[in-house]
Amino acid sequence: MRLDKFLVKCNIGSRSEVKAYIKKGLIRIGDAVASKADADIDENNDEVYYRGERLIYKEFTYIILNKPSGVVTARTDNLDKTVMDLIDPLPAKDLSPVGRLDKDTTGLLIITNDGDLSHRMLSPKKHVDKTYLVKPEHSLSDDDIRRLCEGLDIGDDKPTLPAKAVLNEDGSLLLTIHEGRFHQVKRMLEAVDNRVISLKRVSFGGLVLPEDLKEGDWRELTEDEIQKIILR
Ligand code: URA
């Protein structure tokens, strides 16, 4: 890979900025100060330093965010704070949320620049599990649970696919769905004459929201976590 491309991918600056860093002698490859932006480097093995700090090349970046209520799942928005505003500074370029949570929904959101992974996790054909903790307005009956599990008419062309619904002792519901229709959980609750009071995504594609990740906090996924979602 060209040195300037590598430096841009490591997110230390734009193409013109990294060229200026090279000119200023701020980049080293091993012990040698780099002088050419088009130098060919081995991105996985060469030791490249910026102001003395080793740069590690990662093809993709994967972030887990515990989304708070009141922020929108978008890259930019004219009115509202976005999930991307919570990640400051952004550790990589071209990051986007994988799917969407409503403004008032909290919980697990993945943000990545791995477009293929994003596509696979959202593909209706892949039936990736998403589990939500739902606080309903009224208590749910056995019949409501049965209907939620079997699939029900929420006003679309087709009924929802079979889901898994587990009622907790406190009356909240753990609902696992394999689709991602618009406002799906809210519309499923409405279809059983109920209403969602609060909604939190607690797992997505085998990843569980870590208990120690507070609302508004984020971190990069560990290698194990990445493998878990990639190998699905
Ligand atoms: N279903 C909803 O209704 N809202 C969400 O944010 C996610 C799933």
Side-chain angles (χ1 to χ4, degrees):
M1 186 184 291
R2 275 175 63 122
L3 177 61
D4 51 359
K5 184 172 176 194
F6 171 88
L7 297 172
V8 171
K9 277 191 170 269
C10 288
N11 209 31
I12 62 165
S14 63
R15 186 59 73 112
S16 58
E17 283 166 340
V18 304
K19 282 187 171 153
Y21 299 158
I22 295 168
K23 272 206 178 123
K24 284 186 190 157
L26 298 175
I27 308 293
R28 265 195 301 122
I29 304 173
D31 290 333
V33 174
S35 57
K36 285 191 178 151
D38 65 354
D40 193 22
I41 61 149
D42 175 346
E43 65 273 17
N44 295 312
N45 292 310
D46 279 340
E47 293 184 4
V48 182
Y49 297 84
Y50 168 56
R51 295 180 193 269
E53 201 171 308
R54 171 97 191 258
L55 299 174
I56 304 292
Y57 174 74
K58 274 187 291 181
E59 189 172 14
F60 298 118
T61 295
Y62 304 89
I63 287 170
I64 181 169
L65 167 75
N66 185 351
K67 179 191 171 297
S69 179
V71 297
V72 293
T73 311
R75 280 170 64 115
T76 58
D77 194 274
N78 290 334
L79 290 177
D80 289 303
K81 193 166 173 177
T82 72
V83 291
M84 305 306 287
D85 294 329
L86 299 171
I87 302 168
D88 188 23
L90 288 167
K93 298 169 80 68
D94 304 326
L95 291 165
S96 293
V98 179
R100 188 180 287 258
L101 292 176
D102 295 338
K103 186 173 170 183
D104 56 356
T105 300
T106 63
L108 197 166
L109 188 70
I110 297 169
I111 294 169
T112 184
N113 47 13
D114 182 347
D116 283 348
L117 175 99
S118 192
H119 192 258
R120 273 186 279 125
M121 290 198 76
L122 297 175
S123 163
K125 288 193 197 122
K126 299 277 180 192
H127 299 298
V128 174
D129 284 0
K130 303 166 194 86
T131 301
Y132 295 89
L133 180 64
V134 186
K135 194 169 162 207
E137 185 173 35
H138 313 291
S139 32
L140 289 152
S141 67
D142 289 348
D143 194 47
D144 295 337
I145 299 290
R146 182 188 55 75
R147 291 179 60 210
L148 291 168
C149 289
E150 281 178 356
L152 74 182
D153 181 4
I154 59 170
D156 293 342
D157 295 348
K158 289 181 188 161
T160 56
L161 289 176
K164 196 174 155 203
V166 178
L167 201 52
N168 295 320
E169 274 184 8
D170 65 0
S172 64
L173 176 77
L174 271 180
L175 183 65
T176 303
I177 58 174
H178 324 283
E179 310 165 272
R181 301 193 202 176
F182 186 61
H183 296 325
Q184 181 164 347
V185 176
K186 289 175 183 164
R187 290 197 289 147
M188 286 173 80
L189 268 282
E190 277 161 21
V192 293
D193 298 321
N194 212 318
R195 203 169 69 87
V196 168
I197 297 294
S198 73
L199 188 59
K200 175 181 185 177
R201 183 154 67 189
V202 293
S203 87
F204 183 19
L207 265 192
V208 176
L209 183 68
E211 282 189 5
D212 60 357
L213 193 67
K214 299 199 184 69
E215 272 184 26
D217 283 356
W218 64 275
R219 63 166 170 78
E220 289 194 35
L221 290 180
T222 63
E223 213 34 64
D224 280 356
E225 290 169 330
I226 295 169
Q227 290 309 318
K228 225 183 243 177
I229 52 171
I230 283 183
L231 296 176
R232 286 185 66 78

